[in-house]
Amino acid sequence: MNLSQLAPDYIRAIAPYQGGKPISELAREMGLNEADIVKLASNENPLGISPKAQMAIDNAIPDIARYPDGNSFALRDAVSKKFNVALNQIVFGNGSNDILELAARAFLSKGCESIYSQHAFAVYPLVTQAVGAHGVVVPAKDFAHDLEGFAKAVNDKTRLIFIANPNNPTGTLIEKDALRAFIHAVPSHVLILLDEAYDEYLSADNKSEAIGWLAEFPNLIISRTFSKAYGLAGLRVGFGLMHADVADMLNRVRQPFNVNSIAQVAAIASLADDDFVARSYAANKAGMAQLTQGFNKLGLEYIPSHGNFVSFKVKNATEVNQKLLQKGVIVRPIANYEMPDYLRVSVGLFSENARFLEVLEEIVKK
């Protein structure tokens, strides 16, 4: 007997999430020196972590034999003060992916539907399918969310709408007034999960105002992460902001101790280091200009991005990706996002971006 047949059909049908290729894996495959490999595949912060976070981590290590605070009280207090939300409006996750899954587990089931965009984050269909619900894909408009299409897709079965702003992997951004008008028009029985993983990389004019909308829209959930601009991807910590009644439901399905003690203290310290976030924003802005200027020089199309990554179009993308790997440069193929002619590259350090562009030029000019 094939034991996989014991799992529900909707579980067997899931295609597992594929992350960016690790440096160690490429080194083994290609016989390369890890120190010579440039990884620009996973939208990580090339500056590393905040010095304050590093100090907090060092100080917390002697206590790792003890369980973490299951309610993340100190981190909850820090987030509450930073974003001016009540303590009972905050839910913490093992990365913001955990918030997406908790929302799906709490509010989706068989017979229910979620809505998300074409070319949107791969986790939205995964968490939907994992609970037996049906995902409705709205075709993208110029690689961006089509809010009119979303509105038409809402019906009595709709329970959850996923919106990434900025979107990954396209980097597109929804204008604030249009987004607010859409949320206002959505029926009250439908929850809107606004995924703002890249908000710290937005310019002052484009910064989200959605946290200020929470009092007006009790069906709004906002997810944030410490994995991007804060540089804590390896520690897996994120949070959601929402109405207290919604938070109560997510906490009922949340696993105890889902955010480890090191992650909690590092996140608290990171929230207090505005200088590090400012330096990360500046480095990303300069790196984005470096990459896009390089694409322009090579005559390659790209999608203007508001994140810390950019997707560019290239002939024979699969072949180009393989040649980049052979040269020790890791980017992200995104054929699984229905973008087979595109590759996504994360913004790295100046030297990393330069190495990528140099190798890319060698490949496309041959």
Side-chain angles (χ1 to χ4, degrees):
M1 178 183 179
N2 184 342
L3 294 179
S4 66
Q5 298 301 311
L6 298 175
D9 56 356
Y10 55 84
I11 297 295
R12 297 198 305 271
I14 291 176
Y17 178 81
Q18 296 293 324
K21 184 182 286 290
I23 289 174
S24 57
E25 180 179 326
L26 181 63
R28 290 193 302 270
E29 289 179 355
M30 301 292 181
L32 300 174
N33 187 332
E34 289 191 18
D36 296 331
I37 294 174
V38 172
K39 183 187 177 188
L40 300 173
S42 300
N43 304 343
E44 296 152 337
N45 189 334
L47 300 186
I49 67 172
S50 155
K52 292 182 180 180
Q54 183 66 67
M55 185 178 299
I57 290 169
D58 292 343
N59 291 337
I61 285 176
D63 290 328
I64 59 174
R66 300 197 181 276
Y67 283 102
D69 176 358
N71 290 315
S72 304
F73 177 80
L75 178 55
R76 184 180 304 275
D77 185 61
V79 170
S80 173
K81 291 174 179 174
K82 181 80 171 182
F83 298 100
N84 194 28
V85 294
L87 295 172
N88 62 359
Q89 290 183 270
I90 307 167
V91 177
F92 291 102
N94 187 241
S96 60
N97 278 19
D98 202 14
I99 302 300
L100 309 180
E101 183 173 5
L102 292 175
R105 289 180 61 200
F107 292 101
L108 292 177
S109 60
K110 273 194 171 183
C112 295
E113 294 181 353
S114 72
I115 299 174
Y116 40 84
S117 180
Q118 180 190 22
H119 313 314
F121 189 31
V123 170
Y124 307 152
L126 285 179
V127 297
T128 298
Q129 194 170 347
V131 295
H134 176 64
V136 176
V137 182
V138 176
K141 190 173 183 179
D142 297 326
F143 295 104
H145 288 67
D146 178 5
L147 294 184
E148 289 185 8
F150 270 61
K152 292 176 182 177
V154 174
N155 59 44
D156 291 341
K157 296 179 181 179
T158 309
R159 291 293 178 271
L160 187 58
I161 296 174
F162 292 100
I163 294 178
N165 207 40
N167 183 54
N168 172 29
T170 64
T172 52
L173 186 71
I174 304 170
E175 193 271 332
K176 283 182 277 194
D177 288 344
L179 180 58
R180 190 182 183 285
F182 170 77
I183 295 172
H184 185 269
V186 169
S188 59
H189 77 273
V190 178
L191 290 163
I192 301 128
L193 198 157
L194 187 57
D195 184 349
E196 297 185 337
Y198 299 93
D199 186 74
E200 289 80 12
Y201 288 114
L202 294 177
S203 66
D205 290 342
N206 287 325
K207 279 282 188 185
S208 172
E209 298 174 0
I211 293 175
W213 303 343
L214 286 171
E216 183 179 359
F217 303 116
N219 58 335
L220 176 62
I221 301 171
I222 300 167
S223 67
R224 294 285 186 94
T225 186
F226 287 92
S227 296
K228 307 305 179 186
Y230 291 109
L232 302 182
L235 286 179
R236 313 305 303 126
V237 55
F239 60 95
L241 307 175
M242 63 207 78
H243 189 279
D245 292 345
V246 176
D248 180 39
M249 292 300 103
L250 266 65
N251 276 318
R252 294 183 188 212
V253 296
R254 179 178 62 84
Q255 291 296 314
F257 313 120
N258 64 327
V259 180
N260 69 73
S261 56
I262 303 298
Q264 290 184 36
V265 297
I268 293 168
S270 296
L271 283 175
D273 198 342
D274 292 335
D275 178 66
F276 177 76
V277 175
R279 287 192 288 115
S280 298
Y281 170 82
N284 186 69
K285 184 177 180 180
M288 182 68 74
Q290 181 186 6
L291 289 174
T292 54
Q293 287 168 12
F295 295 144
N296 289 332
K297 177 184 174 183
L298 294 173
L300 298 176
E301 295 180 35
Y302 60 90
I303 304 170
S305 174
H306 293 272
N308 66 336
F309 56 87
V310 58
S311 294
F312 63 99
K313 189 175 184 179
V314 64
K315 291 181 181 179
N316 303 315
T318 300
E319 181 181 340
V320 170
N321 179 62
Q322 187 62 29
K323 289 180 178 179
L324 286 167
L325 291 174
Q326 291 169 356
K327 295 287 188 176
V329 178
I330 309 174
V331 298
R332 187 69 172 269
I334 48 177
N336 61 318
Y337 285 93
E338 299 183 25
M339 298 172 67
D341 300 324
Y342 284 80
L343 298 173
R344 190 196 70 193
V345 59
S346 305
V347 177
L349 299 173
F350 180 88
S351 59
E352 294 173 326
N353 299 332
R355 168 84 182 284
F356 157 70
L357 290 170
E358 178 184 4
V359 173
L360 181 64
E361 182 173 13
E362 291 176 6
I363 294 169
V364 301
K365 291 297 184 180
K366 282 186 176 180

